[in-house]
């Protein structure tokens, strides 16, 4: 499983000036849907430039590097299975299993 955190593009703050848990969760869900459809341009638009990704193989701290990697990974991807989402304020962590021709990770 991999954890994707701080992926919120904070251009749409709530009335209080911070992104709500519900908004954060929706952005992460939208990213997951774009990733699953291999719509990497849309996925990139949803990422904050300094997002972080921590997975079993790679770690990224820049959105462009992460999207380049998942775009290459997309050529092998057969599916994406959501396992769990954890939301604390405007921070969201997603755990999923990536199904590839070589197996699941």
């Amino acid at each position: 499983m991999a954890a994707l955190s701080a992926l919120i593009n904070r251009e749409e703050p709530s009335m209080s000036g911070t992104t709500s848990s519900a908004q954060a969760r929706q952005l992460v869900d939208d990213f997951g849907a774009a990733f699953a459809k291999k719509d990497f341009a849309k996925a990139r638009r949803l990422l904050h430039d300094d997002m972080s990704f921590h997975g079993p193989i790679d770690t990224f701290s820049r959105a462009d590097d992460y999207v380049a990697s998942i775009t290459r990974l997309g050529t092998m991807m057969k599916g994406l299975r959501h396992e769990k989402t954890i939301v604390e304020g405007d921070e969201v962590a997603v755990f999923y299993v990536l199904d590839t021709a070589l197996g699941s990770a």
Side-chain angles (χ1 to χ4, degrees), residues 45-104:
R45 287 192 303 271
L46 295 169
L47 294 174
H48 195 274
D49 290 340
D50 64 354
M51 55 74 69
S52 65
F53 172 86
H54 306 280
I57 299 171
D58 286 320
T59 298
F60 299 97
S61 58
R62 289 179 5 105
D64 290 338
D65 295 339
Y66 176 65
V67 171
S69 179
I70 65 172
T71 299
R72 288 188 301 274
L73 186 61
T75 62
M76 295 188 303
M77 187 170 78
K78 292 170 64 177
L80 185 67
R81 288 183 283 134
H82 177 264
E83 293 289 313
K84 183 172 184 115
T85 299
I86 300 169
V87 181
E88 291 183 9
D90 69 351
E91 295 183 355
V92 180
V94 178
F95 298 88
Y96 58 88
V97 175
L98 181 67
D99 294 320
T100 72
L102 302 174
S104 298

Side-chain angles (χ1 to χ4, degrees), residues 28-49:
V28 170
D29 288 346
D30 291 348
F31 173 84
F35 184 17
K37 292 178 185 174
K38 300 182 184 182
D39 185 348
F40 301 113
K42 180 176 182 179
R44 174 57 184 98
R45 287 192 303 271
L46 295 169
L47 294 174
H48 195 274
D49 290 340

